[in-house]
Amino acid sequence: MSALPATPVAESGRERILEVNDLQVQFPTADGLVNAVNGLTYSLDMGRTLAIVGESGSGKSVSSMAVMGLHDPRRTRISGSIVLDGTELVGASQETIRQLRSSTAAMIFQDPQSSFHPFKKIGDQIAEAYLVHHKVSKKVAMTRTVEMLDRVGIPNPDRRAKQYPHEFSGGMRQRAMIALGLINDPRLLIADEPTTALDVTVQAQILDLLNDLQREFGSAIVLITHDLAVVAEVADDVMVMYGGRAVEHGTAHEVLANPRHPYTWGLLGSVPKLSASGGNLRTIRGLPPSLINLPSGCSFHPRCDFSDRVPGGLCSKELPGLEVRAGDTTRRSRCHLADPAGIFDAEIASTLE
Amino acid sequence: MSTASTETSETVVHPRRDNTREPLLEVTDLVKHYPVKEYTGLFPTTNQVRAVDGVSFDVAPGETLGLVGESGCGKTTTGRLVTRLIDPTSGSIKFDGKEIGQAKERQLRSMRRDMQLIFQDPYQSLNPRQTVNTIIGTPLEVHNLVPKNKRKDRVQELLELVGLNPEHVNRYPNEFSGGQRQRIGIARALAVEPRLIVADEPVSALDVSIQAQVMNLLEKLRKELNLAFVFVAHDLGVVRHFCDRVAVMYLGKIVEIGDRSDIYEAPQHPYTQALLSAAPDLNVVRGAERKERIRLEGDVPSPINPPSGCRFRTRCWKAQDVCAQEEPLLEIKSGARQGHQIACHFPEIKDDLATSLENTSA
Amino acid sequence: MLVYILRRVLLGLSVLLAAIVATFCIFFLGPSDPAGALCGRQCTPDRIVQIEKDLGLNKPKTEQFVTYTKGLVAGNDLGGKKCDAPCLGWSYVQNRPVTDMVKQAFPVTVSIVIGGIVVYSTLGILFGMIAARFRGKPLDRVIVGVSQFVTSIPYFVLAQLFFLYAMVYYGLIPRAKYTSILDNPFTWFTGLLGIWLFYGTVLSANYVRYVRASMIDVQNQDYIRTARSKGLGERKIAISHALRAGIAPFLTLLGLAVAAELGGAIFTERIFGLQGMGNLALTSFDTSDLPVIAGVVVVGAVIIVSLNLLVDLLYGLVDPRVKLS
């Protein structure tokens, strides 16, 4: 990789906020080395929402935790490069990373119940994040906190700021979590399954809120989720991960409406649609791969229904690159198939409706 | 956009339409109140959590009924009451014509063979110290279904039926993945050849691809073995996929019940409509568009002090005075088909909430 | 908060009442012969009757109980012997009010226990935190190893050894001595310091591993990750977030263990020769001085209930959720 300009500007004219290059994350365990992320490369511009989709063990959470520097350095091996707003994070000092947390990149977690300290008032917990990065009095920080709580739609923010997490409902807690995420006006917001623990009507409220806030603040959002329907509703770009690698990455329309990777086909087929009933679901056979012993070649080949169409058993021998294929302009996919578009149109598309 | 598609998409004739049908399970006015102590004053006061508060439905042999609703609506409690894992406060549960609502444990024995449970958490519902052989073999033994020397063969047969390797009969649950464990739970339920299975969120703890595998398995078993299901779930897509009939619950009551097509294509209760409108849909990305976005405000009220009259009125955009004074009955409304009942003072059909590609391309 | 405190006080009082009833039943309904014991060697039946009359032992048991309870609240007149409230009865053997005897012993025991709690809480939390911080490292192993070693030896054996070697043979630590804190706070402190350090250190061994496990558990909690993602420094996270959560279960344990620690205090008094309630009880056992033993039990219950109350209040300060449940 040649030297990057301090703030790279993407073709769209938007400022680039995150550039991940050949990221590897490994956890040494008693059973062996867990290869959680294996060479992940992607970038994200301001104002865009990237959804990272995958099943448990796909590396979607692990890679994003690495962006926040939240892995215990004593138990994790990280290599490659993560450039956040012009700062290289891999190999950076804890102090450098600490300075960037919440101010440049903030994270919203899945379970708002356990992600707030049970013994501290919500307002204090949010104001604390503001105080770390601003030299202001507690009173100013609290005023700002109450403003944020109001902004994320919490009624009576004055009173609510003085309450404890257990006095909040699940939806209100997640709103408070978002207020905490946005208190320092970060340029990148990473939301890790932000609605998975919530009921569907509350989920809709929270997704609307995230959409509104992005429009207002123009920040970039990384949305980590397993729920393709949520992705369809909110994401601009989608990156599908499998076995610690991206297998398909493009705009939401490219990836969800015209997917090119057999794993994406399988995922889409597995979701019971709200608007269609009965019949068998198109599934993916077999089980997710072991991260200690990843299959050779393409990690998906043992579960792939189409690997026999690639000549010479190439799928089990050689890892296909994540590249822009013929017929695509922006989407990258990682598959040896010569004409995935043809297969999708002829065999898959009709089964997905 | 007419309701014409409603008629065409339904090809299966449900037992419900057949007036002479004998329900396998008939639940009438089922109530479960839990006492909870509250310590806000000087002395603890006991309140009643009205988890399930007058629920009636029936399930015909081979039919699947989906119970949907958000957390705290009482769907899981209803499932447990039906199987008599917990005792109802009042109300009647008739299984195969026999009243089991207040029956003693000994009298329930024979019923337990016909009615089985599948749990949500495949990690906690299997005893980690027992082999698969013991887990699945125990019900065979308890109900004395298979001679002792044939028991292992039967267990292996069951493993094969649910798509597991029969050679793994002597393994322990921790040697299986989440999806495989759920299959073991299903095999255990099937061991006694039940007629009704109560499945409590059977796929919600599983990854998408595994969830689809288990759904397909349940679908196959249901057809092959003519099983009836009470299927408790919060995922509207899963319920639409699997269930013939659907009951929507809110704060311990059924607000709307009907055939799948009634609920998804012509819902009349505002809460059902809000649920459908809130559920994200994959087809959006392929150009399907929703006519209306309904967003509920606030949270579900406490089941200790539910609102008077209609329980949904505090969050309902149609609520008027009558809603606070009079509780709406669950009944057939104008425009609804037979078997489609709605508990609302101001029902109104909305047929465009669950987006569909056919609708938009037409 | 006020309601919470009031409720806890009420609960404590009801426990105390139950303890008084139980004590009365055990000591005065049983086959005992207090009058005989009090009468001494040259005893005549007449004298026994007289004593029983003086002590009210000839009355029905229910009436005796009412008298006993009334005495606790308002004082009694036991056959001409005036016994001021809180009257715990009359010692047959020493022929003086039990309350007087307890009054002398009570501050000694309370001093030992409170000082001990301060020492073992501090040491337990400190070493527990250090061990958790250096989990898996040699320092952690040493701390855990030592605490395991100490807890595996009976307390009275350790106390004997400490007394003999540290105080008698080598004189490393001056012999324990009690002076009232009111008379001279300095000698009160220096006289008991050795005891506190010993008693506290030994008991802290029970807590080190507990605090360690609790702190490690807290380190893995989601809210610690949240704190980190806010950009807080590690020290701030450890003190303001982790410690507060890690201490809560320790407080619960503290409340549960108060009774057992009172037992430890009895050994301590006996072995180090301090005239506290433990020694008082043991001496009274030798002379079958039932009212004294009963009095010690009742006062012991008061100590346990008050310390539990204190722990409950502390817990209420740490964890805002307890006020509700």
Side-chain angles (χ1 to χ4, degrees):
Chain A
M1 189 102 213
S2 55
L4 291 162
T7 43
V9 174
E11 277 169 51
S12 57
R14 292 170 186 267
E15 201 182 328
R16 179 144 298 176
I17 178 69
L18 179 65
E19 183 109 32
V20 174
N21 213 330
D22 198 24
L23 178 69
Q24 293 214 18
V25 183
Q26 299 172 318
F27 305 110
T29 67
D31 298 330
L33 195 61
V34 174
N35 300 287
V37 179
N38 306 297
L40 184 66
T41 303
Y42 72 93
S43 59
L44 182 63
D45 298 339
M46 290 296 286
R48 302 281 288 180
T49 298
L50 167 71
I52 304 184
V53 186
E55 301 182 86
S56 10
S58 64
K60 57 185 193 303
S61 273
V62 173
S63 59
S64 306
M65 297 265 286
V67 173
M68 293 292 292
L70 287 176
H71 292 297
D72 185 342
R74 285 170 293 185
R75 292 184 185 79
T76 323
R77 286 187 210 156
I78 301 182
S79 67
S81 151
I82 301 170
V83 178
L84 173 68
D85 203 18
T87 310
E88 171 64 57
L89 298 185
V90 176
S93 72
Q94 281 297 307
E95 181 56 22
T96 311
I97 295 173
R98 189 188 68 71
Q99 298 263 0
L100 292 172
R101 284 179 189 149
S102 178
S103 58
T104 307
M107 193 154 180
I108 297 171
F109 298 99
Q110 169 172 356
D111 188 352
Q113 163 100 43
S114 61
S115 296
F116 274 113
H117 198 294
F119 302 167
K120 291 164 172 277
K121 289 172 184 162
I122 291 273
D124 292 345
Q125 296 193 49
I126 298 175
E128 191 177 44
Y130 193 71
L131 283 167
V132 184
H133 299 283
H134 297 83
K135 284 205 158 54
V136 294
S137 69
K138 276 192 176 161
K139 212 178 143 207
V140 173
M142 193 49 85
T143 313
R144 162 90 182 155
T145 299
V146 172
E147 268 170 36
M148 265 338 277
L149 288 175
D150 188 40
R151 179 61 200 86
V152 297
I154 293 179
N156 305 317
D158 267 325
R159 193 170 56 83
R160 287 301 212 154
K162 296 192 190 80
Q163 288 185 331
Y164 292 95
H166 69 266
E167 296 170 90
F168 279 55
S169 69
M172 281 300 151
R173 237 179 266 142
Q174 194 58 296
R175 280 173 195 270
M177 196 79 215
I178 293 174
L180 169 61
L182 295 176
I183 187 94
N184 288 312
D185 219 343
R187 293 158 65 79
L188 172 66
L189 188 65
I190 301 175
D192 187 356
E193 303 268 9
T195 59
T196 305
L198 305 176
D199 276 322
V200 56
T201 58
V202 182
Q203 164 171 291
Q205 295 170 358
I206 297 292
L207 292 178
D208 287 353
L209 176 66
L210 280 176
N211 266 339
D212 290 352
L213 292 170
Q214 186 179 32
R215 222 165 293 137
E216 187 179 324
F217 296 99
S219 54
I221 295 182
V222 172
L223 177 73
I224 303 162
T225 182
H226 69 280
D227 190 334
L228 290 164
V230 166
V231 173
E233 301 255 350
V234 299
D236 302 311
D237 299 318
V238 178
M239 179 162 74
V240 182
M241 287 190 71
Y242 187 82
R245 296 191 182 97
V247 295
E248 186 163 4
H249 181 194
T251 64
H253 190 265
E254 283 169 339
V255 176
L256 298 182
N258 284 300
R260 292 290 176 262
H261 195 284
Y263 177 64
T264 317
W265 299 342
L267 270 188
L268 287 166
S270 297
V271 182
K273 308 309 170 289
L274 191 59
S275 46
S277 43
N280 257 12
L281 295 163
R282 250 196 87 85
T283 66
I284 308 168
R285 62 192 156 88
L287 299 171
S290 150
L291 295 174
I292 293 175
N293 248 323
L294 277 172
S296 61
C298 169
S299 333
F300 186 60
H301 85 262
R303 303 176 74 190
C304 185
D305 287 333
F306 302 91
S307 57
D308 53 353
R309 303 195 193 181
V310 174
L314 195 60
C315 294
S316 60
K317 287 182 195 148
E318 193 182 301
L319 176 69
L322 184 70
E323 290 155 14
V324 179
R325 308 269 158 186
D328 280 329
T329 49
T330 51
R331 174 228 315 266
R332 305 177 298 158
S333 51
R334 193 191 281 282
C335 182
H336 284 306
L337 281 174
D339 181 21
I343 296 176
F344 177 75
D345 292 339
E347 298 171 43
I348 310 294
S350 58
T351 64
L352 292 182
E353 280 167 11
Chain B
M1 304 317 127
S2 68
T3 47
S5 64
T6 328
E7 302 301 327
T8 50
S9 70
E10 261 330 301
T11 46
V12 189
V13 175
H14 291 298
R16 155 67 55 176
R17 311 267 158 72
D18 177 6
N19 288 330
T20 62
R21 75 167 196 166
E22 289 278 312
L24 179 63
L25 174 73
E26 197 173 1
V27 172
T28 319
D29 257 332
L30 194 60
V31 173
K32 177 68 186 178
H33 291 179
Y34 288 105
V36 285
K37 280 198 172 150
E38 202 176 324
Y39 297 88
T40 44
L42 213 47
F43 298 100
T45 45
T46 307
N47 290 318
Q48 299 293 329
V49 172
R50 302 161 80 153
V52 174
D53 212 9
V55 159
S56 307
F57 59 83
D58 53 25
V59 181
E63 191 182 64
T64 52
L65 172 76
L67 291 179
V68 291
E70 299 182 282
S71 29
C73 72
K75 55 187 193 298
T76 293
T77 310
T78 306
R80 306 214 153 169
L81 286 170
V82 163
T83 41
R84 286 298 313 279
L85 273 189
I86 48 177
D87 296 329
T89 306
S90 68
S92 137
I93 304 166
K94 271 192 186 149
F95 186 76
D96 208 11
K98 257 182 24 204
E99 175 62 47
I100 57 165
Q102 303 295 335
K104 297 271 179 308
E105 190 53 44
R106 277 187 59 188
Q107 302 161 296
L108 289 172
R109 267 286 173 79
S110 60
M111 177 279 282
R112 293 235 185 271
R113 204 195 130 180
D114 287 327
M115 204 197 283
Q116 286 289 309
L117 250 163
I118 300 174
F119 296 93
Q120 167 173 9
D121 193 334
Y123 292 87
Q124 287 178 11
S125 56
L126 301 176
N127 186 337
R129 287 186 194 14
Q130 290 182 345
T131 62
V132 169
N133 193 17
T134 316
I135 290 172
I136 304 177
T138 304
L140 295 174
E141 191 182 327
V142 169
H143 293 280
N144 214 2
L145 295 174
V146 184
K148 205 169 180 185
N149 53 352
K150 295 268 172 63
R151 204 165 282 153
K152 194 169 169 187
D153 295 343
R154 173 72 180 137
V155 170
Q156 292 187 313
E157 211 177 291
L158 284 161
L159 285 178
E160 205 154 6
L161 182 69
V162 297
L164 291 172
N165 187 343
E167 287 165 21
H168 294 169
V169 65
N170 284 324
R171 293 197 176 181
Y172 289 89
N174 65 348
E175 297 173 67
F176 294 91
S177 70
Q180 289 173 324
R181 283 183 217 200
Q182 198 55 293
R183 287 173 192 263
I184 296 171
I186 293 170
R188 172 176 61 185
L190 292 177
V192 294
E193 295 158 33
R195 296 156 72 192
L196 174 75
I197 288 184
V198 175
D200 185 3
E201 302 268 12
V203 296
S204 56
L206 306 175
D207 261 323
V208 192
S209 70
I210 308 301
Q211 167 177 324
Q213 293 173 354
V214 173
M215 293 279 298
N216 282 352
L217 169 67
L218 289 174
E219 184 73 37
K220 178 192 98 167
L221 294 171
R222 165 166 103 96
K223 286 200 184 114
E224 280 175 13
L225 308 173
N226 192 33
L227 291 168
F229 272 88
V230 171
F231 193 90
V232 177
H234 71 280
D235 187 318
L236 295 163
V238 166
V239 168
R240 174 159 203 181
H241 189 84
F242 191 71
C243 300
D244 303 320
R245 286 175 59 73
V246 179
V248 181
M249 292 187 70
Y250 185 79
L251 263 184
K253 290 204 176 273
I254 293 180
V255 296
E256 185 162 8
I257 183 169
D259 288 349
R260 167 169 57 195
S261 55
D262 297 332
I263 300 293
Y264 284 86
E265 286 158 34
Q268 295 207 22
H269 196 285
Y271 180 63
T272 313
Q273 295 165 356
L275 267 189
L276 285 172
S277 176
D281 193 358
L282 196 48
N283 279 332
V284 171
V285 83
R286 271 179 244 145
E289 246 180 73
R290 288 181 170 171
K291 290 291 161 301
E292 199 177 344
R293 281 159 67 85
I294 304 170
R295 289 293 183 261
L296 291 182
E297 303 260 315
D299 294 307
V300 183
S302 155
I304 293 173
N305 274 314
S308 65
C310 171
R311 293 187 175 188
F312 184 58
R313 71 175 164 84
T314 50
R315 302 170 78 198
C316 184
W317 60 97
K318 286 184 170 176
Q320 296 182 20
D321 290 349
V322 63
C323 300
Q325 285 146 15
E326 242 175 76
E327 187 178 327
L329 298 172
L330 187 66
E331 58 195 8
I332 299 177
K333 304 281 179 185
S334 70
R337 297 191 306 180
Q338 195 200 342
H340 181 191
Q341 298 170 308
I342 303 103
C344 180
H345 289 301
F346 305 102
E348 181 192 352
I349 298 177
K350 280 192 196 291
D351 56 10
D352 48 11
L353 291 165
T355 51
S356 144
L357 281 177
E358 296 114 73
N359 277 356
T360 45
S361 54
Chain C
M1 193 67 193
L2 208 67
V3 175
Y4 171 75
I5 296 173
L6 216 59
R7 206 169 59 224
R8 286 283 140 188
V9 171
L10 275 183
L11 197 70
L13 285 178
S14 58
V15 169
L16 217 52
L17 188 68
I20 291 168
V21 173
T23 311
F24 182 84
C25 291
I26 292 167
F27 287 102
F28 299 106
L29 292 187
S32 59
D33 182 17
L38 192 57
C39 193
R41 287 225 179 125
Q42 287 105 33
C43 194
T44 62
D46 286 351
R47 198 164 141 62
I48 289 199
V49 170
Q50 180 60 39
I51 294 172
E52 285 191 335
K53 204 177 150 207
D54 286 351
L55 295 177
L57 294 172
N58 53 349
K59 291 181 188 152
K61 297 288 182 191
T62 45
E63 204 173 311
Q64 286 185 42
F65 177 71
V66 171
T67 315
Y68 186 80
T69 318
K70 185 191 145 240
L72 284 175
V73 183
N76 260 344
D77 189 29
L78 298 168
K81 293 162 184 156
K82 207 165 160 323
C83 176
D84 291 329
C87 173
L88 291 165
W90 200 265
S91 164
Y92 313 139
V93 179
Q94 299 208 8
N95 199 18
R96 56 192 276 224
V98 174
T99 313
D100 280 3
M101 301 162 74
V102 171
K103 249 183 204 159
Q104 279 181 359
F106 179 75
V108 179
T109 304
V110 169
S111 297
I112 296 174
V113 170
I114 303 256
I117 287 179
V118 169
V119 172
Y120 75 67
S121 300
T122 316
L123 293 182
I125 291 171
L126 191 71
F127 284 109
M129 275 181 75
I130 293 174
R133 176 79 179 72
F134 296 96
R135 175 158 56 128
K137 300 273 160 60
L139 187 56
D140 173 30
R141 301 229 172 97
V142 168
I143 292 173
V144 170
V146 168
S147 88
Q148 248 158 358
F149 180 72
V150 170
T151 41
S152 63
I153 306 171
Y155 178 75
F156 62 89
V157 174
L158 278 177
Q160 294 274 20
L161 291 174
F162 180 79
F163 177 68
L164 282 178
Y165 284 92
M167 288 183 171
V168 180
Y169 292 165
Y170 296 110
L172 300 171
I173 290 166
R175 297 244 189 143
K177 195 165 157 295
Y178 178 81
T179 36
S180 169
I181 188 169
L182 300 173
D183 294 344
N184 187 339
F186 182 72
T187 47
W188 172 78
F189 185 81
T190 51
L192 290 175
L193 187 62
I195 298 268
W196 288 337
L197 289 178
F198 172 73
Y199 174 69
T201 310
V202 172
L203 285 183
S204 76
N206 287 319
Y207 295 102
V208 165
R209 278 167 297 155
Y210 198 81
V211 171
R212 175 184 179 272
S214 168
M215 291 302 290
I216 288 174
D217 177 55
V218 167
Q219 284 296 337
N220 294 325
Q221 292 293 317
D222 287 350
Y223 52 80
I224 296 298
R225 188 180 57 183
T226 307
R228 208 160 273 140
S229 77
K230 287 195 250 188
L232 296 183
E234 289 299 317
R235 184 171 304 164
K236 172 105 177 160
I237 293 171
I239 292 167
S240 152
H241 289 248
L243 182 59
R244 183 158 177 198
I247 265 181
F250 168 78
L251 281 177
T252 316
L253 201 66
L254 202 63
L256 292 173
V258 162
E261 273 138 33
L262 219 51
I266 291 180
F267 280 121
T268 313
E269 287 168 14
R270 189 66 169 187
I271 290 163
F272 297 99
L274 293 165
Q275 294 310 311
M277 300 208 340
N279 253 336
L280 181 60
L282 291 174
T283 325
S284 309
F285 270 119
D286 292 343
T287 52
S288 302
D289 202 351
L290 280 180
V292 180
I293 303 172
V296 168
V297 170
V298 168
V299 173
V302 171
I303 296 177
I304 291 171
V305 166
S306 349
L307 284 177
N308 262 307
L309 189 66
L310 191 73
V311 167
D312 277 354
L313 296 181
L314 279 177
Y315 201 98
L317 282 180
V318 170
D319 185 348
R321 291 172 301 182
V322 296
K323 276 166 241 165
L324 293 170
S325 57

